[in-house]
Amino acid sequence: MNKELPQGLKLLTIWLLILLVVFMGFKAREHQRAQTLITVDGGAITLKRGPDGHFHWPGQVNGVAVEFLVDTGATSTALPQALAEQAGLVAEADVSSHTAAGLARGYRARADIALKGGVQAERLAVTVLPALGAPLLGMDILSKLDFKQQDGALHIQRSPHLRAGRP
């Protein structure tokens, strides 16, 4: 009795394996590229502009890994509601916020923010917005740092602990 797979199924399996290897190669390259978008040298942090034209800064919110979008036009750090819930944030007060998309309603909470390169803010007052697509790192943190934009990179001199978050 012949237990070989039909020829068509063999070809399909080979093509699926080839596509899987190509896909994994692209994902590995994407991951490697993301790792090279930030460099830390002592107290100096350099963020390179991402493929989307924005600066991204990996970090944590109450221990939950996150990638912040650096937003110099945002007064305060803002988080999507799903992330706030995952990080266990507790609503302190309702807020209305003017965003690029118009008026948004959400709430104010406090969070411990830790950014790659050693920048930290404890109990920082953050704005939580239900429809926000990505976490935004605002001027409440950025204004405490010395930074300049040059040649497609954001050069930051870190301050180890920001006191802006204390109540």
Side-chain angles (χ1 to χ4, degrees):
M1 184 169 180
N2 188 357
K3 294 192 177 200
E4 280 193 34
L5 294 174
Q7 186 67 22
L9 190 55
K10 287 180 184 179
L11 286 174
L12 177 64
T13 303
I14 290 170
W15 277 109
L16 286 175
L17 287 172
I18 291 170
L19 288 174
L20 178 64
V21 168
V22 169
F23 174 77
M24 295 302 288
F26 277 115
K27 286 308 236 181
R29 184 170 182 227
E30 182 179 286
H31 178 72
Q32 182 182 18
R33 182 178 173 134
Q35 295 300 318
T36 60
L37 291 178
I38 181 170
T39 56
V40 179
D41 183 16
I45 302 162
T46 301
L47 303 175
K48 293 181 185 169
R49 190 179 306 278
D52 61 358
H54 298 287
F55 295 108
H56 298 266
W57 198 342
Q60 296 181 351
V61 174
N62 285 6
V64 176
V66 65
E67 186 172 284
F68 285 97
L69 178 66
V70 176
D71 187 353
T72 57
T75 305
S76 66
T77 296
L79 306 174
Q81 186 168 349
L83 172 61
E85 290 171 0
Q86 186 180 5
L89 302 189
V90 177
E92 292 183 345
D94 291 335
V95 296
S96 295
S97 181
H98 294 279
T99 68
L103 187 65
R105 298 199 185 282
Y107 61 89
R108 177 76 65 191
R110 294 207 177 264
D112 292 336
I113 307 291
L115 300 167
K116 185 172 181 180
V119 175
Q120 298 178 22
E122 298 171 353
R123 296 196 35 78
L124 182 72
V126 297
T127 302
V128 177
L129 301 172
L132 188 63
L136 303 177
L137 190 65
M139 290 304 293
D140 52 352
I141 290 181
L142 297 171
S143 68
K144 307 292 187 263
L145 304 169
D146 291 326
F147 67 92
K148 67 178 178 179
Q149 184 177 338
Q150 182 181 358
D151 300 325
L154 192 61
H155 303 279
I156 303 159
Q157 193 64 38
R158 80 174 169 98
S159 299
H161 294 282
L162 302 177
R163 297 294 176 207
R166 291 276 178 206

